Amino acid sequence: MRGRDFISITDLSSEELGRLLSTAMRLKDRARQTALAGKTLALVFEKPSLRTRVSFHVAMQHLGGDCIYLSPPEVGLGERETPADVARVLSRYVDCIAARTFHKETVDEIARFASVPVINALSDDEHPCQALADLLTIREKKGGLRGVTLAFIGDGNNVANSLSAGAARSGMHFRIASPEGYELRDEMAVKAEEAARPAGGSVERFRDPAQAAAGADVVYTDVWASMGQEREAAQRKESFAGYCVDRRLMAGAKRDAIFMHDLPAHRGEEVAAEVIDGPQSVVFDQAENRLHAQKALLALLLGAEGIG
């Protein structure tokens, strides 16, 4: 994986994904080290963030490297400077770029013109770094991934896109329940189904949340309106009525099922407080694992010796 970009979960084979997660588990148990001493990561963000910014910054520190954060006003992607020019300039200064953008085309352009590895830290199409942390969390809590049933309740958004692809490659059974008009896109579902077959997994789409959650090992949800969709919030709240993950919905899953959410969460909307703050919730373990998954990703992309 050394020197490669990480734009989508589909950039990884099943074997590479497994290796990355195994590396993350090893790094989680190790003390801080100097594997990336002398290396610098640039964070180029169009969207604000808590977990993405801090986890990448601390990941580089834990591996002995440095990190620079570039806020939207400082760069002005597509306004003050083109993504291509930003990519070419930063490639002269840093060893890796993590871009958090509104549009996939922006991170694609950065990757096309950069001469250093580029990481998709979030775009409208995918959130692959979140999926790595999610799969790491499930592997820890369930002892593995193959055969695990994950029910995603809600919008077929960027998080669902990446998670479906990662689950499929890991031999999991991915189910998603969404209201009409908010389904997982056919293109993403077909790709996930194709990846699932040889791995022994499956992908199913439902309208009824209870049907998707029945007998599941993991129940996952996300906000109904993400950043950039604020104008749609009222309509989405109406469309997603009945899709709240509450105690009744969790009762249909397995007794030892875990609840996951990529945060931030809106208690009383997509999830009841009694669920996200209850004993089945692993959302803060999941948030912590952003750090460890990204340590592994950075180590492998930057060729850290003795880690992969």
Side-chain angles (χ1 to χ4, degrees):
M1 293 177 61
R2 181 173 187 171
R4 284 168 46 183
D5 298 325
F6 180 61
I7 308 302
S8 168
I9 284 287
T10 61
D11 294 337
L12 302 177
S13 66
S14 297
E15 293 73 21
E16 288 170 334
L17 178 56
R19 178 189 175 200
L20 198 155
L21 295 177
S22 295
T23 301
M25 294 188 78
R26 289 198 299 273
L27 287 175
K28 187 171 182 175
D29 293 333
R30 292 184 185 178
R32 299 186 187 191
Q33 50 197 280
T34 59
L36 295 184
K39 304 287 187 181
T40 302
L41 169 70
L43 301 178
V44 182
F45 281 25
E46 288 187 308
K47 289 184 173 184
S49 169
L50 169 63
R51 282 155 293 279
T52 300
R53 177 179 175 180
V54 176
S55 58
F56 267 117
H57 194 128
V58 176
M60 284 300 287
Q61 288 184 328
H62 280 196
L63 294 173
D66 294 314
C67 184
I68 299 171
Y69 172 72
L70 298 165
S71 66
E74 290 174 293
V75 180
L77 278 173
E79 297 177 2
R80 184 169 173 267
E81 292 201 56
T82 67
D85 285 355
V86 170
R88 287 181 285 210
V89 169
L90 287 178
S91 294
R92 304 295 183 101
Y93 299 148
V94 304
D95 302 282
C96 186
I97 300 168
R100 181 178 171 91
T101 67
F102 281 102
H103 305 296
K104 181 178 182 292
E105 292 76 15
T106 303
V107 72
D108 284 343
E109 185 175 344
I110 292 172
R112 189 162 62 251
F113 286 92
S115 57
V116 297
V118 173
I119 297 170
N120 179 0
L122 178 142
S123 66
D124 58 347
D125 204 52
E126 280 207 50
H127 198 351
C129 293
Q130 181 64 54
L132 294 179
D134 296 341
L135 295 173
L136 177 61
T137 305
I138 296 167
R139 180 167 161 174
E140 284 182 324
K141 301 299 181 182
K142 295 299 175 182
L145 296 175
R146 186 176 295 275
V148 171
T149 297
L150 187 162
F152 189 99
I153 311 299
D155 191 14
N157 60 12
N158 52 358
V159 173
N161 286 340
S162 292
L163 193 53
S164 65
R169 280 162 173 68
S170 304
M172 297 174 65
H173 301 295
F174 181 84
R175 304 173 182 170
I176 182 168
S178 307
E180 185 176 359
Y182 299 95
E183 302 92 341
L184 191 70
R185 293 205 320 270
D186 287 342
E187 175 191 356
M188 298 302 299
V190 169
K191 287 182 179 179
E193 288 165 1
E194 290 173 350
R197 290 190 201 103
S202 63
V203 177
E204 295 181 276
R205 289 177 280 180
F206 297 90
R207 193 72 71 208
D208 181 5
Q211 189 176 3
D217 300 287
V218 182
V219 179
Y220 194 125
T221 194
D222 192 9
V223 295
W224 293 339
S226 300
M227 279 182 285
Q229 298 173 334
E230 290 80 6
R231 292 181 179 179
E232 305 172 27
Q235 177 59 55
R236 283 173 170 266
K237 190 172 183 179
E238 181 179 336
S239 298
F240 283 90
Y243 283 79
C244 177
V245 178
D246 55 17
R247 184 180 295 171
R248 178 179 296 183
L249 191 68
M250 288 297 297
K254 289 183 179 176
R255 290 176 61 87
D256 63 348
I258 58 174
F259 171 76
M260 300 179 69
H261 192 305
D262 57 301
L263 301 178
H266 299 154
R267 289 165 174 80
E269 289 190 10
E270 76 274 5
V271 60
E274 63 188 6
V275 172
I276 193 170
D277 298 319
Q280 290 173 283
S281 176
V282 298
V283 298
F284 297 109
D285 294 327
Q286 180 185 358
E288 178 191 339
N289 279 336
R290 289 291 302 275
L291 168 64
H292 306 299
Q294 283 156 200
K295 281 193 292 187
L297 179 64
L298 290 164
L300 294 177
L301 295 185
L302 294 176
E305 297 295 332
I307 284 184

